[in-house]
Amino acid sequence: MKLKEIVEILSLKPLVPSAGLEREVSGGYVGDLLSDVMANAGEGNIWITLQTHVNIVAVAVFKNLSAIVTVNGRMPDADTMEKAAEENIPILLTGKSAFETAGKLYQILNAKGIQD
Amino acid sequence: MKAKIDRTYEGSFHIVGGDFSRAGEASTELKTILLRMGMDEEIVRRVAIATFEAEMNIMIYATAGILRYTITPEEIRVVAEDMGPGIEDIELAMQEGYSTAPDWVREMGWGAGMGLPNMKKNSDVFRIESVVGEGTTVEMTIRLGDCGEESR
Ligand SMILES: Nc1ncnc2c1ncn2[C@@H]1O[C@H](COP(=O)(O)OP(=O)(O)OP(=O)(O)O)[C@@H](O)[C@H]1O
Ligand SMILES: [Mg+2]
């Protein structure tokens, strides 16, 4: 499923204009502990987190994640956005909680047969 | 896809703690080098993750160190060496969930106690040596052999 569709359905706000949304999403992962995400997130996953500092971009790059969603309206730091633009990683903002966001995303992916 | 490596390639990066916005630069550069050589993506992913965790630990616990890589036709070897405080109980440090990360590091999402286990999991051979007061050396080897799973 395309990231673009998910962004529309969940009303996520893309914060990195140069990072395109035409990428494929393979699933999702929720976590605020970076080493846990490094161990357990899957390639192409959307990563839902409340972390906002610059190291989240490196995690997304090394894990080949499709996007980072920052929850609870938490705005990433300026250097995080800069790095994300450099590395072509979409960061998507939502005012909703991680629980709501993950629940919704799961539903969408499940309906598409991506997550069972 | 199998990369054709005809000789040994070596290089190193200096890791300096403090500026977390630069964390991951060494690992990113190594990743770029490996991809340019035509290395298998899964191998590159494993090297990058293991190297990034090692880089982070140097930044957090040792403030400075050096990361050396060696690429041969058989394997990729990454050695992360620092002159930090050392680790008193390595067995304990290797346990998933054990961490002495300070609060300011935890606030950034580090300190799950999963870095060393991640390094080990992504390596075919993992070695760690540490002397309290002198420093820590982590050596990670990822094999490039055709034997795939067998070699892990
Ligand atoms: N280079 C090092 N120098 C000194 N102590 C270290 C070093 N690397 C690891 N340690 C010690 O080992 C512990 C476990 O390290 P590990 O990387 O597994 O977890 P962490 O860094 O605490 O958390 P995470 O890696 O999940 O963010 C650390 O908390 C620290 O006490
Ligand atoms: Mg660590």
Side-chain angles (χ1 to χ4, degrees), chain A residues 35, chain B residues 52-58 60-61 98-99 101 105 110-117 119:
Chain A
S35 288
Chain B
F52 185 39
E53 292 282 12
E55 203 182 336
M56 277 324 298
N57 278 3
I58 293 179
I60 296 169
Y61 304 106
Y98 176 83
S99 175
V105 170
W110 299 106
M114 291 179 73
L116 289 170
M119 291 179 227

Side-chain angles (χ1 to χ4, degrees), chain B residues 19-20 25 55 59 66 84 98 101 119 127 142-143 151:
Chain B
D19 185 2
F20 273 55
E25 276 184 6
E55 203 182 336
M59 292 197 96
I66 188 159
Y98 176 83
M119 291 179 227
R127 272 199 215 107
I142 285 112
R143 293 205 187 98
S151 69

Side-chain angles (χ1 to χ4, degrees), chain B residues 28-42:
Chain B
T28 303
E29 216 170 307
L30 181 55
K31 178 181 168 176
T32 308
I33 291 168
L34 296 176
L35 286 176
R36 215 185 291 137
M37 290 176 125
M39 294 275 181
D40 176 73
E41 275 187 32
E42 176 62 18

Side-chain angles (χ1 to χ4, degrees), chain B residues 62-123:
Chain B
T63 65
I66 188 159
L67 209 136
R68 292 190 185 83
Y69 65 86
T70 311
I71 305 160
T72 74
E74 289 84 34
E75 63 189 29
I76 301 167
R77 198 166 55 247
V78 175
V79 178
E81 190 181 354
D82 68 59
M83 282 152 286
I87 302 171
E88 208 156 306
D89 187 339
I90 291 180
E91 205 180 314
L92 187 61
M94 287 302 302
Q95 275 175 28
E96 214 164 285
Y98 176 83
S99 175
T100 62
D103 281 346
W104 66 273
V105 170
R106 287 176 194 270
E107 266 161 35
M108 299 198 305
W110 299 106
M114 291 179 73
L116 289 170
N118 277 356
M119 291 179 227
K120 186 171 179 189
K121 205 160 49 182
N122 284 290
S123 310

Side-chain angles (χ1 to χ4, degrees), chain A:
Chain A
M1 182 173 194
K2 284 268 190 285
L3 181 59
K4 194 165 185 268
E5 300 172 63
I6 292 167
V7 167
E8 274 161 22
I9 300 169
L10 293 182
S11 305
L12 304 172
K13 184 173 178 233
L15 299 176
V16 185
S18 58
L21 305 177
E22 288 301 329
R23 43 196 101 194
E24 214 46 53
V25 174
S26 63
Y29 195 77
V30 188
D32 302 324
L33 295 169
L34 305 194
S35 288
D36 170 61
V37 178
M38 298 260 280
N40 297 316
E43 196 165 324
N45 281 7
I46 288 190
W47 173 24
I48 299 166
T49 187
L50 49 75
Q51 293 295 347
T52 52
H53 79 98
V54 65
N55 292 165
I56 61 175
V57 179
V59 171
V61 170
F62 294 135
K63 291 298 286 187
N64 291 332
L65 303 178
S66 50
I68 302 169
V69 177
T70 60
V71 297
N72 293 352
R74 283 171 67 111
M75 200 62 182
D77 308 344
D79 54 352
T80 305
M81 307 260 255
E82 218 172 279
K83 191 95 175 172
E86 217 173 278
E87 299 285 355
N88 191 28
I89 299 288
I91 301 183
L92 312 164
L93 180 68
T94 177
K96 300 256 165 61
S97 71
F99 176 74
E100 280 179 88
T101 309
K104 260 285 183 49
L105 179 63
Y106 188 94
Q107 256 180 357
I108 297 167
L109 292 175
N110 184 255
K112 290 261 179 181
I114 296 170
Q115 196 90 57
D116 52 19

